[in-house]
Amino acid sequence: MSYTAASQVVARQLEFFENRKVLVVGELSDDYPLALVDVAQSVSVFTTNYGYHRQISRSNKVTSYFGAELTEDLDIDMILLYWPKAKAEADYLLSMLFAKFGTSTEICVVGENRSGVRSAEKMFTPYGPLTKYDSARRCGFYWGRCDNEVQAFELSAWFRNYPITVAGTELTIRSLPGVFSHGEFDKGSELLLNTLPKLRGKVLDFGCGAGVIGAVMKTNNPSIELELCDISALAIESAKETFRINNLEAKFTATDVYAELPGSYNYLISNPPFHAGLKTFYAATEDFIAQAPQHLHDDGALIIVANSFLQYPPLIEKSFGECRTAATTNKFNIYAAKK
């Protein structure tokens, strides 16, 4: 089994986890929690990533919990946090975990230096001591303990509001830390929304983030049957909040590409993600495009916005036999194809 650099550093510090009841959280992408079972008394996983939840749940060695907030009552005495690239998300996780498990909870933090893990010591100050124990493979490994009283965790307090005006529509967007375009409106999405045709029937907002694209589409096309999907529980909760505050309705689905989307649509609309963790990541969008015709009604259409340097037209042409550039700027292109 090939492990990430962060997991390889954890493997050098197994004494921290011997006979402990460990909860693993954060920026996980490999199966290392399954190996941790060999030294720990028990291992559980909490993840906001539905794809990772599906992956790790295939094993009966660990129990995986998926969501924006860990609400289950767990018996744990050690947290292993894989440091997320967004500091605001790290702050969110620390606040949630220590509010839930209380003082005297121990934690090990691991992460790549380029993920900003060096800021962990300063960010941990409100909770207690955090000490660096290892540095290898361009990663840092820390141990700490929550010695101070912490405030109760309220999910609602972590949403950030910001207004948008686009395509003749004024809306309020609500987003949680770690969600794409957290607190600001993406220019690619703006171009997409300003060039969309009149929509009808069933519409999917793929990789919905905070629900910006979906909310504008539903406002301007109230009769559509709209579904929003994302791999991130934080995104799904943000999109739900965006729709709630704007008095809009839709269906929301956590999914890994089409895994939980068995139906067909008249339109597949997306500002597809191309970052996963710290790496440029095309696999999910490649699968989304390749399988798109199977999830479209006859005469259905795919419409996406992408950075101009991304090589999506050949993928779309291979899948649909055509790819039209419907609009372009010096940074973004709108690509469209019909089944």
Side-chain angles (χ1 to χ4, degrees):
M1 173 61 67
S2 175
Y3 295 124
T4 63
S7 290
Q8 291 174 42
V9 173
V10 174
R12 292 158 53 105
Q13 301 292 336
L14 290 181
E15 63 270 20
F16 284 96
F17 309 104
E18 289 178 357
N19 298 314
R20 305 298 294 272
K21 292 173 280 192
V22 183
L23 174 66
V24 188
V25 300
E27 197 82 42
L28 284 151
S29 59
D30 62 21
D31 289 341
Y32 190 74
L34 303 183
L36 203 56
V37 170
D38 294 336
V39 296
Q41 182 178 335
S42 65
V43 178
S44 302
V45 171
F46 169 71
T47 178
T48 62
N49 184 298
Y50 187 77
Y52 186 77
H53 173 65
R54 287 184 74 221
Q55 172 188 329
I56 205 73
S57 292
R58 295 188 183 108
S59 170
N60 58 9
K61 290 185 176 182
V62 303
T63 303
S64 178
Y65 301 91
F66 167 77
E69 179 183 0
L70 179 61
T71 57
E72 291 81 3
D73 292 326
L74 304 184
D75 180 18
I76 66 107
D77 57 22
M78 171 64 79
I79 297 168
L80 171 58
L81 171 62
Y82 282 71
W83 196 254
K85 65 182 183 297
K87 288 184 180 179
E89 185 176 353
D91 190 24
Y92 172 92
L93 289 172
L94 288 172
S95 177
M96 177 188 65
L97 293 168
F98 287 136
K100 183 172 184 62
F101 296 111
T103 56
S104 300
T105 303
E106 293 184 50
I107 187 169
C108 289
V109 175
V110 67
E112 295 186 41
N113 294 333
R114 61 177 180 162
S115 75
V117 72
R118 290 189 183 100
S119 64
E121 289 176 280
K122 183 177 180 181
M123 289 183 62
F124 202 80
T125 302
Y127 303 105
L130 188 72
T131 305
K132 191 171 189 178
Y133 274 81
D134 199 359
S135 181
R137 295 170 175 81
R138 298 178 180 177
C139 296
F141 180 93
Y142 304 77
W143 173 88
R145 184 178 59 231
C146 180
D147 285 345
N148 302 328
E149 292 294 327
V150 295
Q151 295 181 341
F153 180 82
E154 295 291 342
L155 182 66
S156 59
W158 289 85
F159 285 98
R160 181 183 296 178
N161 286 18
Y162 64 96
I164 64 165
T165 301
V166 61
T169 300
E170 294 182 7
L171 295 168
T172 298
I173 307 303
R174 300 261 286 165
S175 66
L176 288 169
V179 176
F180 176 67
S181 272
H182 179 52
E184 60 182 0
F185 185 32
D186 174 67
K187 291 296 183 181
S189 297
E190 183 178 10
L191 177 65
L192 175 65
L193 289 167
N194 281 323
T195 55
L196 280 179
K198 190 70 177 175
L199 303 174
R200 58 176 177 78
K202 291 187 66 177
V203 180
L204 178 70
D205 177 3
F206 176 83
C208 65
V212 178
I213 293 173
V216 175
M217 290 193 301
K218 184 64 175 178
T219 301
N220 290 344
N221 305 270
S223 65
I224 62 173
E225 186 180 344
L226 178 64
E227 184 170 2
L228 295 88
C229 73
D230 205 287
I231 200 169
S232 165
L234 299 174
I236 293 294
E237 286 303 312
S238 298
K240 286 179 178 179
E241 269 293 291
T242 292
F243 271 62
R244 183 192 65 79
I245 202 170
N246 292 288
N247 297 309
L248 299 170
E249 293 185 358
K251 181 180 180 182
F252 303 89
T253 304
T255 186
D256 185 3
V257 195
Y258 294 106
E260 305 299 331
L261 302 171
S264 295
Y265 304 87
N266 296 97
Y267 293 93
L268 299 176
I269 312 288
S270 183
N271 182 349
F274 68 97
H275 287 287
L278 296 166
K279 300 177 182 178
T280 299
F281 184 72
Y282 297 94
T285 301
E286 288 179 350
D287 291 344
F288 170 64
I289 293 171
Q291 299 173 40
Q294 304 168 36
H295 294 270
L296 282 169
H297 294 313
D298 291 341
D299 203 34
L302 169 78
I303 306 173
I304 69 171
V305 60
N307 289 73
S308 54
F309 65 83
L310 296 172
Q311 297 302 305
Y312 289 152
L315 300 176
I316 297 172
E317 289 172 0
K318 182 179 179 180
S319 190
F320 285 87
E322 64 152 358
C323 178
R324 295 180 294 105
T325 302
T328 186
T329 67
N330 61 351
K331 188 175 180 180
F332 298 101
N333 291 331
I334 305 296
Y335 302 120
K338 278 193 172 185
K339 182 175 177 180

